[in-house]
Amino acid sequence: MDQLRAMRYFSKVVETSSFTKAARAFNVPPSSLSRRVADLEKSLGATLLKRSTRIVKLTEVGQIYYKDVQQILNQLEQSNETVRSYQTTPMGRLRISSMVSFGDKILLPLLDEFSALYPEIVLDVSLSDELSTLGRDDVDIAIRGGYAPNERVLAIKLMDNGFIPVASPSYLEKYGVPNNALELKQHKGLYFKAPSGPTPWLCQINDQWHDVSGPAVAISNNGPWLAKKACNGEGILMSTRWALAEYIKSGQLQELKFEHELAINQHANMAVYLLYQKQRYLVPKVKAAVDFLVQKIKVANEG
């Protein structure tokens, strides 16, 4: 336990860049905390921290050790939380990572309802199109679009995530309605930028994939901005059906349908998945959130 305490002290010093602030967090004398960290360095035979009168910094080996220590402390905290909260009221901080557009349109409104049901759960929500790795990134639940991941996590399919082409009536009146997917090459394109780059327009004809992307007039990772430009008649947009539903319903955009469907990659079964680690489902706050989101999103879409 002495080494574990020293690891906690060391981690807090790194987080606060101060022995004094770290000691205050643990309510111990700075000299005592400093001695513990020095003993830790002595036992390891390595200098973890560069000390000066103004600042504390990690050494190169200290950076490596800190990363490993964080994983150990996070895992320990998860294990402790599992035991403490087993068969108790859902409570504590719940960390959720989601795609930006899905978070804005679907997740965040549902989480308002979730908070009303579970007021003792503190939501910690990050919206990003960068992939989060459960466990490593300190995330309880992740929501991703794409195909089923190979991670050692449980993946629940919430809904299909197929992309559809749309355009405004004014654009189609001005430039004409394309008769087939290959004609899209002659049309102006509005492209969503994923972490890997702009998503192309692909079409499979006679078992062969074709890139039918038209010349780009705008590229962005901001879906609503692209949808606004599409509504203004600036080009054809490929996006998910769930992201475009309100624009199609209002008549601002209309779906373009072809004999051969379009896609943004060659993977089948594109979907939105809810991911979580199996052992975390024992924690009431995680179980409550998984069950709630699956019921609200998956069941609603199947219905």
Side-chain angles (χ1 to χ4, degrees):
M1 293 301 291
D2 283 346
Q3 184 176 4
L4 179 59
R5 183 181 294 111
M7 290 164 62
R8 291 188 190 277
Y9 287 174
F10 164 72
S11 180
K12 185 60 69 174
V13 170
V14 175
E15 291 171 11
T16 61
S17 298
S18 167
F19 280 89
T20 303
K21 291 179 181 178
R24 191 179 303 133
F26 288 103
N27 196 27
V28 298
S31 59
S32 176
L33 183 139
S34 179
R35 189 165 53 251
R36 289 276 189 180
V37 174
D39 288 343
L40 176 64
E41 290 178 310
K42 186 177 179 180
S43 69
L44 294 170
T47 301
L48 303 175
L49 297 166
K50 297 176 185 176
R51 300 160 173 82
S52 70
T53 55
R54 291 187 175 184
I55 197 166
V56 179
K57 284 187 176 181
L58 284 167
T59 62
E60 185 176 351
V61 71
Q63 292 176 354
I64 298 171
Y65 187 70
Y66 175 69
K67 184 178 179 181
D68 289 341
V69 163
Q70 284 301 99
Q71 290 182 342
I72 293 169
L73 294 179
N74 285 338
Q75 185 59 54
L76 180 61
E77 177 57 30
Q78 287 186 6
S79 299
N80 290 343
E81 188 178 13
T82 298
V83 174
R84 287 196 303 265
S85 60
Y86 187 68
Q87 291 184 329
T88 63
T89 303
M91 63 177 64
R93 187 158 67 108
L94 179 68
R95 294 151 296 206
I96 302 176
S97 172
S98 171
M99 302 174 293
V100 177
S101 295
F102 187 89
D104 285 335
K105 286 186 174 292
I106 297 177
L107 178 64
L108 293 182
L110 287 177
L111 290 181
D112 290 337
E113 184 180 344
F114 180 78
S115 290
L117 292 173
Y118 301 98
E120 294 186 63
I121 293 179
V122 177
L123 293 174
D124 183 346
V125 184
S126 299
L127 301 184
S128 172
D129 291 317
E130 298 289 340
L131 297 184
S132 293
T133 300
L134 299 184
R136 185 195 70 191
D137 292 342
D138 206 19
V139 172
D140 296 307
I141 295 172
I143 297 177
R144 297 183 191 165
Y147 48 97
N150 295 321
E151 294 182 43
R152 295 178 181 178
V153 297
L154 294 180
I156 300 176
K157 179 180 175 180
L158 295 177
M159 63 169 67
D160 290 329
N161 199 44
F163 277 60
I164 60 172
V166 295
S168 69
S170 62
Y171 176 90
L172 297 174
E173 183 178 349
K174 183 175 181 179
Y175 297 100
V177 179
N179 295 309
N180 57 65
L182 293 176
E183 288 187 10
L184 289 173
K185 290 185 176 183
Q186 312 305 319
H187 284 266
K188 299 176 184 295
L190 301 167
Y191 294 92
F192 183 80
K193 183 167 63 177
S196 58
T199 55
W201 301 346
L202 304 177
C203 183
Q204 190 175 27
I205 302 175
N206 298 327
D207 295 327
Q208 184 174 352
W209 285 94
H210 299 265
D211 189 331
V212 297
S213 305
V217 295
I219 301 169
S220 176
N221 64 350
N222 187 295
W225 183 71
L226 291 174
K228 181 180 179 182
K229 295 183 81 65
C231 291
N232 290 339
E234 297 181 39
I236 292 175
L237 171 65
M238 274 272 288
S239 187
T240 56
R241 187 176 297 278
W242 54 262
L244 297 170
E246 62 183 272
Y247 302 103
I248 294 174
K249 186 177 181 180
S250 68
Q252 292 175 280
L253 296 173
Q254 59 187 69
E255 181 180 355
L256 303 177
K257 297 185 178 181
F258 306 109
E259 178 183 356
H260 302 94
E261 292 186 1
L262 298 187
I264 60 167
N265 59 42
Q266 297 179 22
H267 294 287
N269 302 319
M270 293 285 285
V272 176
Y273 292 93
L274 183 151
L275 312 176
Y276 64 95
Q277 293 177 299
K278 184 177 181 180
Q279 68 270 25
R280 296 292 289 157
Y281 191 70
L282 294 173
V283 180
K285 66 179 181 182
V286 177
K287 182 180 187 303
V290 169
D291 293 349
F292 175 85
L293 293 174
V294 169
Q295 175 68 27
K296 289 291 182 177
I297 301 174
K298 180 179 180 179
V299 175
N301 279 275
E302 289 178 347

